[in-house]
Amino acid sequence: MKSNPSICLPHLTNDIVTSARKTKLCAYSVALEGWRRGLTLKWHTVDHEKYQEMITFGVNPPGRLFSLSSKERTHYFFRTRGDKVTNEAVRIGSDKDETKVWLAKAGVPVPEGRKFEASSTDEEIIQYALEINFPLVLKPTNASLGNGVVTNIKDVKSLQKALIYVRSDLNYPEVILERYVSGEEYRVYVVEDQVIAAYNRLPANIIGDGYHTITELIDLKNRQRKKNARLFSCLIEIDNEVLDFIQSSGYTLESIPNKGEKILLREKTNVSAGGDPIDVTDELPDELKQIAIDAIKAIPGLHHGGVDIIADLNQSISTAVVIELNPTAQIGGILFPMEGKARDIPSAIIDYYFPETKGSQNKKSRIYFDFNTVLEPLSSRSSVEVEVSPAPIGKLYAKKYTVSGFVQRVSYHQWLRIQALERGLNGYINNLSNGDIDVVVAGTDKKEVNAFKEIFTAAPNKAEVKKIKEEAWKSPVKVGFDISEGYNPTSLRSVETAIKKMEKELRRLEKEKNRLEKETSKIQQSRFWKSTAWIRKLSNYAKSLIKPQANG
């Protein structure tokens, strides 16, 4: 399997969003875009009075609530949703049945089906299923991230099993039963009258290479996902559903699929369940885009958000139906897709709320702030509001200087840091294993960036500089100036830092070990594993008959 580098926007790379994961990634990407344009950025806790008025959920720990201000006004945001989206729109969008009512009233195509209250019996639901015919989809009215959604239910027995799972096991007694619509699933992000991005959500899958087993292909796919800022925590787990899919395809975990053969591992398309986000913004037919725009317009007060559509484009646009609206849509899948192009939804959102900033020089800026550092007062509960220092405004100039000689003294690095900050420069110092140092400096004053080369030799009592190599720096730069000393066995501070890093890595490995043990246990307890025990016994018996020949 080829290892594809993560696809991203040049001003929103993996390195920038390292500390912003899952729904924090959504909030950070929008907030960062506004901050870069010169808007005042503040992060809040849910205790802020404004958030007593807005519908929010899942905001602990902090990093999902923020405000952006210009001289004229302030807008408040929960993740990707700003305060122009009304609470009524959020309430409607969160109720799948009410959403269908509003969409159908506006002429937007929706699948046939109906809602059943918690008081409805399973027998009533089954009777309705027989009226509209199989295959069907069962889903909770108010769940998210695909939780409790059972698709392609083909008979009464499967429906009975799904009802027990959703209504009893998961405790979602209020459900919707509707006709199953075959086709591909698309998430379309709309801002007013414009489709900003669209991606195809493929179920978890692997593609054979004629060499690796299915288990190995899943591992390779997970390695690829770990490199992606959105997908790194959404790995493919080998559970009963995956094992059933593999078995239904006529394979075992040890089978080696042919080169180019795609094997689906799940029914659900959710990214959180191992699905692949594939950018299709340019390929999506205009008619399908219009359906998405009409769906957003159908809900009063919903000015932007995600629209989930199922359509079989090999047949006709008439097959398309809207299955869900997302007023607080996650956008990480299209910021970091598996294939295609990353799409700049954060820019479109800021354009909508602050249209006067559209011409900002900083729209594609490479400057960013450290998310964890900014959020620390909120995380420690020492503050309920944090204002981020203003971003450097204007074109960013940056250079990397590699300095050789006796240059790895801590006092020299601290002196260089002071010189950079006094000149309004950002960047970092990093020790190299050969005794050199890399120094990146960036700022909006080109002369100051270029002149910094002379600073290295201006402190002869702190360092002995023999050579300075300079080159243009095109990568993102964090605001402020960091010093990374690397590992120095003679420095207590350096040793302590190294120990902390090793302890963190040890915790990560322990967590990964526990995850693998859990997956192994699931496999060994599965019906599939138990039903194929005779194959493994036969294989072991055959191996025992093959004895190594003695050397002659």
Side-chain angles (χ1 to χ4, degrees):
M1 177 180 290
K2 293 182 180 179
S3 179
N4 296 332
S6 181
I7 301 165
C8 60
L9 298 164
H11 56 286
L12 196 68
T13 63
N14 270 22
D15 292 338
I16 291 176
V17 301
T18 298
S19 55
R21 301 303 195 185
K22 296 184 178 179
T23 54
K24 286 171 68 175
L25 170 60
C26 301
Y28 180 61
S29 62
V30 177
L32 180 65
E33 178 67 25
W35 174 78
R36 283 171 167 170
R37 297 192 194 185
L39 299 172
T40 300
L41 170 60
K42 294 181 181 180
W43 292 93
H44 307 282
T45 66
V46 75
D47 302 311
H48 190 283
E49 59 181 12
K50 183 65 180 181
Y51 293 105
Q52 305 307 308
E53 304 169 9
M54 290 178 65
I55 295 176
T56 61
F57 44 86
V59 292
N60 285 317
R64 295 157 181 86
L65 305 174
F66 63 95
S67 62
L68 291 166
S69 305
S70 64
K71 291 181 180 179
E72 293 77 24
R73 63 193 181 282
T74 296
H75 285 297
Y76 290 83
F77 293 82
F78 169 50
R79 290 162 38 181
T80 57
R81 169 169 43 94
D83 54 17
K84 284 190 176 184
V85 176
T86 66
N87 281 346
E88 181 65 7
V90 176
R91 188 188 65 77
I92 293 172
S94 300
D95 187 312
K96 294 178 176 63
D97 186 62
E98 191 168 358
T99 296
K100 285 182 64 176
V101 172
W102 280 90
L103 293 177
K105 187 167 61 175
V108 176
V110 294
E112 180 184 2
R114 58 163 284 200
K115 173 183 175 181
F116 289 88
E117 304 290 346
S119 58
S120 300
T121 65
D122 287 357
E123 288 70 24
E124 290 177 67
I125 300 174
I126 292 170
Q127 182 58 44
Y128 179 71
L130 296 173
E131 293 174 14
I132 64 173
N133 295 324
F134 295 93
L136 301 168
V137 174
L138 181 72
K139 56 188 177 183
T141 58
N142 58 356
S144 60
L145 300 177
N147 291 328
V149 178
V150 183
T151 65
N152 201 11
I153 301 170
K154 297 179 179 179
D155 50 45
V156 171
K157 185 177 180 181
S158 299
L159 177 57
Q160 290 172 328
K161 182 179 177 182
L163 287 169
I164 293 171
Y165 171 66
V166 177
R167 305 188 86 195
S168 300
D169 296 350
L170 298 183
N171 195 27
Y172 289 122
E174 192 175 272
V175 296
I176 294 174
L177 188 70
E178 60 190 20
R179 289 291 302 276
Y180 172 79
V181 179
S182 62
E184 301 281 353
E185 186 171 330
Y186 302 91
R187 163 66 61 85
V188 185
Y189 197 89
V190 177
V191 178
E192 286 199 300
D193 295 325
Q194 186 178 3
V195 168
I196 307 301
Y199 64 92
N200 185 4
R201 300 199 301 189
L202 299 179
N205 66 87
I206 52 173
I207 298 177
D209 59 7
Y211 178 76
H212 290 97
T213 67
I214 287 179
T215 299
E216 291 167 341
L217 289 170
I218 292 174
D219 181 60
L220 290 170
K221 186 71 172 281
N222 282 337
R223 290 185 197 178
Q224 184 179 341
R225 294 176 74 86
K226 286 178 181 179
K227 297 176 183 178
N228 184 295
R230 170 64 183 97
L231 309 178
F232 83 104
S233 62
C234 305
L235 304 182
I236 301 171
E237 293 189 20
I238 302 176
D239 53 20
N240 285 339
E241 182 183 1
V242 169
L243 290 170
D244 287 344
F245 261 75
I246 293 171
Q247 187 176 25
S248 66
S249 299
Y251 293 112
T252 70
L253 290 173
E254 299 307 311
S255 299
I256 300 176
N258 295 328
K259 186 174 182 179
E261 182 179 4
K262 177 182 283 188
I263 298 177
L264 296 182
L265 303 175
R266 296 190 190 280
E267 185 84 35
K268 289 191 294 187
T269 62
N270 298 76
V271 169
S272 57
D276 291 343
I278 309 296
D279 168 50
V280 294
T281 308
D282 296 334
E283 293 78 28
L284 204 67
D286 290 340
E287 296 91 337
L288 211 60
K289 291 180 180 179
Q290 189 60 52
I291 289 174
I293 294 170
D294 292 343
I296 291 293
K297 287 184 174 182
I299 311 300
L302 181 61
H303 305 290
H304 61 96
V307 182
D308 290 349
I309 300 176
I310 290 181
D312 188 345
L313 299 183
N314 294 322
Q315 294 186 25
S316 169
I317 294 296
S318 63
T319 64
V321 292
V322 174
I323 59 171
E324 192 172 336
L325 294 182
N326 298 272
T328 319
Q330 289 200 45
I331 60 175
I334 198 60
L335 293 177
F336 297 90
M338 291 286 282
E339 297 176 20
K341 297 179 182 178
R343 305 292 173 163
D344 203 347
I345 294 177
S347 181
I349 292 174
I350 299 302
D351 285 351
Y352 173 61
Y353 281 87
F354 297 93
E356 69 276 16
T357 67
K358 285 184 180 181
S360 170
Q361 295 182 14
N362 277 37
K363 280 191 70 172
K364 306 298 180 185
S365 174
R366 291 169 285 131
I367 198 77
Y368 70 102
F369 59 87
D370 185 80
F371 203 20
N372 284 338
T373 300
V374 166
L375 292 180
E376 197 281 326
L378 302 184
S379 300
S380 64
R381 299 186 180 181
S382 62
S383 177
V384 296
E385 178 180 286
V386 173
E387 181 174 334
V388 182
S389 299
I393 300 298
K395 184 177 180 181
L396 195 69
Y397 301 93
K399 281 195 172 181
K400 183 177 81 171
Y401 296 98
T402 301
V403 187
S404 303
F406 184 65
V407 292
Q408 290 199 348
R409 291 181 63 181
V410 174
S411 60
Y412 179 53
H413 296 177
Q414 292 172 339
W415 180 80
L416 287 174
R417 181 177 184 273
I418 292 172
Q419 301 306 309
L421 294 177
E422 286 181 349
R423 290 162 174 76
L425 299 176
N426 304 280
Y428 66 84
I429 300 171
N430 184 40
N431 278 345
L432 303 180
S433 58
N434 63 357
D436 297 349
I437 58 173
D438 274 345
V439 182
V440 169
V441 292
T444 55
D445 190 328
K446 188 175 182 179
K447 289 183 179 179
E448 289 287 6
V449 173
N450 290 333
F452 201 79
K453 183 177 181 179
E454 309 302 323
I455 300 297
F456 294 113
T457 56
N461 60 325
K462 294 183 180 295
E464 181 182 337
V465 177
K466 296 182 178 179
K467 182 181 177 182
I468 302 173
K469 177 186 174 184
E470 65 177 280
E471 59 183 288
W473 182 255
K474 300 296 183 183
S475 297
V477 178
K478 184 165 62 177
V479 70
F481 203 90
D482 291 342
I483 300 174
S484 177
E485 296 296 348
Y487 175 62
N488 179 3
T490 64
S491 166
L492 178 60
R493 180 181 175 185
S494 179
V495 171
E496 289 176 344
T497 300
I499 290 173
K500 287 181 180 178
K501 288 182 178 179
M502 286 187 282
E503 288 175 343
K504 184 178 180 180
E505 177 65 10
L506 185 61
R507 288 194 297 271
R508 187 191 69 79
L509 292 172
E510 184 67 25
K511 187 177 179 180
E512 179 70 6
K513 174 176 171 285
N514 291 337
R515 186 185 69 81
L516 292 173
E517 288 178 347
K518 187 177 179 181
E519 283 191 7
T520 301
S521 178
K522 282 183 180 179
I523 294 170
Q524 292 174 342
Q525 296 301 317
S526 69
R527 296 189 304 273
F528 175 80
W529 184 262
K530 292 175 181 178
S531 65
T532 56
W534 66 273
I535 298 176
R536 291 188 296 278
K537 289 181 180 178
L538 183 62
S539 175
N540 291 333
Y541 176 70
K543 289 178 182 177
S544 68
L545 297 178
I546 304 173
K547 297 180 179 180
Q549 296 180 355
N551 294 330

